[in-house]
Amino acid sequence: MTPHAKPCGGCRDTAGEGTARAQGQSATEGDDSALKHEQGKSAPAVSEDMTPDSMMAGDVAVSSGQMAKRRVAQGDGEEASPSITPPQGETPAGLTRHLLPWLPVVAALLLAANALRRDAWGLLGLWCVVACLACTRQAWARIVVSLALCAGVVVWADTTQQFVSFRMMAGLPWGRLVAIMATVGGITALSSLVLLGRAGEARYTSGRDMAGAQAWAALLTFAGLMWIRHATGPLTPLLAERLWPGSGMAQAALMAVYAAWAVGRLADPKLSRVWRPRLWALFSFVFFMQLALGLIGYDIFLMTGRLHLPVPALILAGPLYRGTGWFMLGLFTFSTLLLGSAWCSHLCYIGAWDDMASRRKRRCGTLPNHAGRVRLGIALLVFGGAVALRLLGVGPVAAFTAAACFGLAGVGVMLAVSTRRGVLVHCTTYCPMGLLADVMGRLTPWRLQVDTGRCTRCGACSAVCRYDALTPADIEGGAAGFTCSRCRDCLAVCRHGAMRLTFAGRGIVGRLAGGVRAETIFVVTAVTLHAIFLAVARM
């Protein structure tokens, strides 16, 4: 082949990379043979008779050959097609991944629009909360939103029935309406199914370990507040509904989110040691803020519209004196049957004060040996005194004064004794309801046990127990003492795994899916009660 011959396509594919390019360079520039050989490796053959079209075809052929060689070298085993593959579009999986966050949001917003049409502001707030949850990546939110959208399908079915009944009564056509409503309901059902499927599992990945517990806390809190809302009738126990009538469902939804968040903070004992006092202090702050607002005349913050002294001892002493008003005692009994003495470390509005006072001293102290006898004597004096005042016909002013003095003396105990000893002296020695909570704790299946085989007697648990329930004798006995409030601070510092919270002696409850940790059930129960009590008006 001469330099002036017009090469064919086959020649360009075979000899174009070597000989033709080298000869062309020799004819025009006169370089030496080494330079011709080096340049001949990188370009196709060029002749004077080649057209631009043929040159472009040669370039494409060379690139195609190089691509084929690269694919063979990588083990592909197939020859590359001599054409440029256009960029592919989005795959169905990719489209699903991009649309997933928006489909449940759209479904929830459609339900919110339906609530707005009905002027149901609480329901509107509920669906807005659901829409916001659908935008997160929390694993528990996936469960809650999916169940909420299942309820939304029922809402659309009921709405469709109402619309169709109205149109039939008016003699109007309703077939197209049914088709539209069926489409909307189908979108809602599809959104729920997508969340429960693999695509939903792939997106909502944050906090998978505690997703079930957080979802349970959210659902139980919402259901509990809705039951209280309907069971109390005209009493209107929910705070938001007193300020903005009809907003109860929105408040219940927000408290459900709060409950799920709180479980995430309390499930881990190490986090719980930091967050439990904070949430407990928040509970106390909200309680006494309502009391302060009630004192200055805003009785809307008081459940019954009347003031009551915030002294825990009056939960029982008050009904014993009046002969009526057993609601708070019933609530206390219900709570302690569920949690035992954990009522003192999670739900008592005064106990949070004693906790803050005891933390003024970093290392926990101990109680004197006669503390138990003093506690029993104070309880008999308070409850027996309430009955005696009633039998003697003592007026309410004198009884109120005696109760106020007892409450103020308790504050003095916190400031004078708890701060110096580093122990909750008010809760473990002075408060009669603390004694009752500890007694009720013995009737519940919750126990804090010590594995004496693993325990090294290092004393780390005793150093953080502010209820003086982990003395050397208690540890040797394999269980926390009588004053234990199940605060679980000791679990956070035990490095040997020697301590655990059990339910009826078991650390794992149930057999389904390997069972559930007793501690998880305890945390869900405690947080649910905490969130419900936080949302209602004080007595």
Side-chain angles (χ1 to χ4, degrees), residues 276-277 279-289 291 308-315 328 332 343-358 403-404 406-415 418 423-428 430-434 467 538:
R276 183 188 61 84
L279 299 182
W280 194 13
L282 172 66
F283 181 84
S284 180
F285 171 78
V286 172
F287 181 92
F288 282 100
M289 181 186 67
L291 173 63
H308 296 270
L309 282 176
V311 179
L314 296 182
I315 293 175
M328 282 299 296
F332 170 82
W343 183 88
C344 297
S345 59
H346 292 78
L347 303 175
C348 179
Y349 42 88
I350 287 289
W353 291 22
D354 201 22
D355 180 72
M356 288 185 284
S358 67
F406 181 81
L408 292 174
V411 176
V413 171
M414 300 177 199
L415 297 177
S418 296
V423 183
L424 282 78
V425 178
H426 175 277
C427 296
T428 57
Y430 186 77
C431 178
M433 298 309 294
Y467 292 87
R538 71 171 302 276

Side-chain angles (χ1 to χ4, degrees), residues 44-76:
V46 179
S47 70
E48 296 177 356
D49 297 332
M50 290 179 64
T51 63
D53 291 339
S54 64
M55 294 176 64
M56 182 178 296
D59 292 340
V60 171
V62 171
S63 63
S64 300
Q66 293 174 349
M67 290 175 62
K69 293 177 181 179
R70 187 179 299 115
R71 294 183 61 185
V72 171
Q74 293 176 353
D76 197 347

Side-chain angles (χ1 to χ4, degrees), residues 216-217 220-222 224-225 228 255 258-259 263 283 331-340 342-343 346-347 446 521-536:
W216 269 111
L220 288 174
T221 298
F222 182 81
L225 289 174
I228 292 174
M255 294 309 300
Y258 169 78
V263 166
F283 181 84
L331 191 61
F332 170 82
T333 304
F334 173 75
S335 303
T336 51
L337 284 175
L338 289 177
L339 288 178
W343 183 88
H346 292 78
L347 303 175
W446 302 111
I521 299 174
F522 175 84
V523 170
V524 170
T525 305
V527 168
T528 300
L529 292 176
H530 163 82
I532 290 175
F533 292 170
L534 189 64
V536 300

